[in-house]
Amino acid sequence: MPEDPRTERTRARLREALLEECASGPLEKVSVAALVRRAGVGRATFYVHYADLEALAVDACAGIVREAVDALHAWRGVPDPASPPPALVDFFERLPSHHTLYGELLRPGGGGPLGQVLHRDLRARSRAERELAGAPEPELVASAVASAFAGVLADWLHGMIAATPAEITGRVWRLLISLHRTPLP
C-alpha cells in the first residue's frame, strides 16, 4: 500500500530541516524545538513520525545507504579492479557534505544505527546478486562484503584511513573484488 503523500511531505520537510540544522553543528546540539520550527511543523507532528532525533537522522541518511548499495552494484560483466563504477566514485566524493552527521551515525568499525542499516541492506543485495549468479557461499561472501564496506567507510569518515575520496574509492573497489574472487571450498 503506497504511503500517504502528506506523510511523505512531512517526513521530507523534517529530514531536510535536520540536514540544515546539522550543517552548522553536531546532532547532539540539535533540539526538537529548533527542528520543528525550521520544518514548519508542530512538535506533536514530529513525534507522530519519529521516536527521537536519532530515528529521524537515520531516516534522513538512509539515502546514503541506498546510494552505497546501488553504487557497489553499478557494474555488469567482469569488474575491472582499476576502474571503480562511476556511481561509487560519485558516492565517495559527495560524502564529505554531511561528514559530521554520517560520522555520528556510522561509528568506527561500521557500527551505529546507520552502520546497522548499511550492513543489513548491503548484505541482502550482495547475497541476492551472488545467488542470482550461482556464485558459491552467498551468505558468507555477502556478510564479508557488507562488513568490510561498512567498516572501511566508517573508519575513513572518522579519519582512521588517510585517503582522498578518489583513493578510498579505488581501494574499496579492489578490496571488494578480492572478496568476491577469493576461492572458497
Side-chain angles (χ1 to χ4, degrees):
M1 178 179 237
E3 190 167 312
D4 182 338
R6 293 170 299 174
T7 298
E8 183 46 41
R9 278 193 303 272
T10 299
R11 286 179 180 227
R13 286 170 52 194
L14 288 166
R15 289 189 299 261
E16 183 179 328
L18 178 80
L19 293 175
E20 290 170 1
E21 287 287 321
C22 288
S24 61
L27 180 61
E28 66 185 26
K29 300 284 186 187
V30 174
S31 71
V32 172
L35 177 78
V36 297
R37 199 171 29 257
R38 184 181 288 268
V41 301
R43 190 177 187 92
T45 300
F46 170 82
Y47 287 108
V48 164
H49 296 284
Y50 298 101
D52 55 26
L53 285 170
E54 186 176 274
L56 169 58
V58 170
D59 186 36
C61 294
I64 193 174
V65 170
R66 287 187 295 278
E67 288 175 26
V69 171
D70 289 345
L72 288 171
H73 293 89
W75 57 273
R76 291 291 172 246
V78 178
D80 178 1
S83 299
L88 188 61
V89 174
D90 185 53
F91 168 77
F92 275 102
E93 286 176 350
R94 289 190 352 229
L95 273 175
S97 65
H98 293 292
H99 176 271
T100 303
L101 180 58
Y102 296 144
E104 288 179 81
L105 300 171
L106 184 61
R107 300 198 179 98
L114 190 58
Q116 292 171 351
V117 173
L118 177 58
H119 187 275
R120 179 196 66 217
D121 291 358
L122 183 52
R123 185 179 186 283
R125 177 82 172 265
S126 293
R127 185 186 65 243
E129 296 265 339
R130 284 189 71 80
E131 286 173 349
L132 184 64
E137 300 281 0
E139 296 287 339
L140 177 69
V141 174
S143 289
V145 164
S147 297
F149 184 78
V152 169
L153 173 61
D155 290 354
W156 179 70
L157 282 171
H158 286 277
M160 299 166 75
I161 299 172
T164 65
E167 291 168 342
I168 197 66
T169 302
R171 290 168 159 175
V172 164
W173 182 239
R174 288 186 299 277
L175 172 66
L176 297 178
I177 289 172
S178 296
L179 286 171
H180 278 283
R181 289 183 175 167
T182 301
L184 300 169

